[in-house]
């Protein structure tokens, strides 16, 4: 088995910096002794023995099964699509259901990438279908157009739900869908007219990744559709999801629809919810995550369900590799190091080099503050945002100068053209790496 030794870190022995002002020890090692670290790592081995020795073969088969079970339970980078693999988020699901069922509102679910919007939308859809709603799910691409997208939705609503069609009539028997009942070119008003004729069911249209649509008229048309559907008390409700810091970023320019819309922010997972995610792995692979391991994963993942799964998965694999049924803090640390290593390796070489150089190390607290400031929504942040994260004792002018230094061509940051001065990390993966590194360094302190 591959034993993962956790080397003592030298963080505390360096007097010039406090631990949280330096990159996590693992990154220092990666950046400064790349040849060493790959040479010292043990070579890969087969997971199971091919021998006919029944007893040890049984053990190996069992272990392999548990590994596969853990991968299936936690390893997916896909959104969760059923309740069985969905952890926590009871409040969010209850709010979403109540907004749709009790208040008959349209809902906008918003939050940063990876926080679980698509998963919530899928589990909500499953729940609504059980209650006999007709749920139509569509993921928006950058090219999305209002009429093509909504014609496709109309094509999934059977004509027998139109109030002009009598049950058992030839039209009802002949099948067909709502798309046959709409003009070739239509706008939100014509569509709302048609959709308000729906009877005998309620329809929920989910527009996932709403923020990705580039066409401004798409958003204007959707706002107009929401307004018209509400005015007509139609039996159709929209659920939009998107990466945004607040509701205004997604629908802010349409004040007339605000009272018909509920905003549902997705919060970081709580410790209890992280525990629930891990419990899915525990049940599948017959493992137990120790409290210390769970705490470590919670801290480093910063409430992201994606990172919880990733680290939970690797920590479980390390434990299984050591033939241990309990995932300890050391297994957790090994997993975090593994994740940081893979993450770093996935960045372009130039970016790795940019992070490793002395200027970046000297400005580590600033870079971490920048990553925090830009961690929600579209990733852009102002000098003020960075100042808030840095805490007291920093001058705006100095911070701006330092940020600008990282915003030269091919460097870590880029500047948004026009308007207020705003920065963003050129590679989104960099801020995640910085945040995980900061959490790791804090734990080592
Ligand atoms: N409630 C949850 N329980 C377990 N895993 C989750 C949950 N929500 C999200 N995840 C996991 O987190 C990752 C990101 O989720 P996703 O729904 O795609 O986020 P978003 O749409 O906000 O970018 C996925 O790998 C998904 O499996
Ligand atoms: Mg999504």
């Amino acid at each position: 088995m591959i034993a993962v030794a956790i080397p003592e870190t030298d963080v505390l022995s360096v007097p010039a910096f406090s631990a949280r002002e330096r990159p996590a020890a693992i990154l220092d090692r990666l950046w400064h002794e790349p040849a060493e670290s790959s040479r010292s790592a043990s070579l890969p081995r087969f997971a199971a023995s091919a021998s006919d020795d029944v007893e040890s073969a049984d053990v190996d088969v069992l272990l392999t099964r548990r590994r596969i079970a853990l991968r299936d339970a936690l390893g997916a980078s896909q959104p969760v699509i059923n309740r069985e693999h969905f952890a926590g988020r009871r409040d969010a699901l209850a709010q979403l259901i109540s907004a749709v069922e009790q208040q008959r509102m349209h809902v906008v679910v918003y939050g940063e990438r990876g926080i679980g919007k698509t998963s919530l939308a899928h589990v909500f859809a499953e729940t609504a279908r059980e209650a006999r709603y007709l749920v139509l799910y569509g993921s928006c691409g950058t090219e999305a157009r209002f009429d093509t997208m909504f014609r496709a939705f109309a094509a999934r609503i059977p004509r027998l739900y139109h109030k002009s069609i009598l049950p058992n009539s030839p039209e009802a028997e002949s099948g067909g869908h709502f798309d046959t009942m709409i003009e070739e070119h239509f706008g939100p008003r014509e569509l709302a007219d048609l959709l308000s004729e729906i009877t005998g069911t309620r329809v929920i249209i989910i527009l996932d990744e709403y923020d990705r649509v580039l066409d401004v008229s798409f958003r204007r048309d959707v706002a107009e559709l929401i307004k018209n559907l509400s005015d007509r008390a139609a039996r159709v409700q929209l659920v939009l999801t998107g990466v945004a810091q607040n509701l205004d970023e997604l629908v802010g320019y349409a004040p007339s629809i605000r009272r018909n819309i509920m905003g549902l922010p997705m919060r970081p997972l709580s410790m209890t919810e992280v525990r629930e995610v891990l419990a899915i792995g525990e049940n599948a692979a017959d493992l137990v995550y120790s409290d210390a391991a769970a705490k470590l994963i919670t801290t480093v993942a910063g409430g992201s369900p994606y990172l919880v799964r990733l680290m939970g998965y690797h920590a479980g694999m390390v434990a299984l590799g050591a033939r241990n049924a309990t995932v300890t803090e050391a297994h957790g640390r090994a997993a975090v190091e593994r994740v940081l290593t893979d993450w770093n390796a996935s960045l372009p070489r130039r970016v790795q080099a940019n992070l490793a150089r002395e200027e970046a190390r000297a400005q580590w607290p600033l870079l971490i503050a920048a990553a925090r400031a830009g961690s929600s929504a579209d990733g852009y942040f102002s000098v003020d945002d960075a100042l808030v994260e840095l805490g007291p004792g920093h001058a705006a002018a100095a911070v701006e100068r330092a940020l600008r230094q990282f915003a030269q061509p091919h460097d870590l940051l880029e500047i948004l053209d026009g308007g207020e001065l705003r920065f963003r990390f050129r590679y989104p993966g960099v801020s995640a790496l910085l945040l995980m590194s900061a959490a790791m360094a804090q734990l080592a302190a």
Side-chain angles (χ1 to χ4, degrees), residues 63-78 85 280-287 289 309-310 312-317 320:
L63 202 59
T64 306
R65 273 208 201 116
R66 288 165 77 189
R67 283 200 170 104
I68 292 170
L70 188 66
R71 190 196 60 202
D72 290 345
L74 291 185
S77 56
Q78 301 294 314
H85 285 144
I280 295 171
E282 288 180 332
N283 291 334
D286 204 5
L287 278 173
Y289 289 82
R309 290 173 75 106
L310 193 62
Y313 167 69
H314 283 301
M317 290 301 263
L320 287 176

Side-chain angles (χ1 to χ4, degrees), residues 117-118 208-209:
K117 300 178 294 298
T118 300
D208 199 8
E209 308 209 50

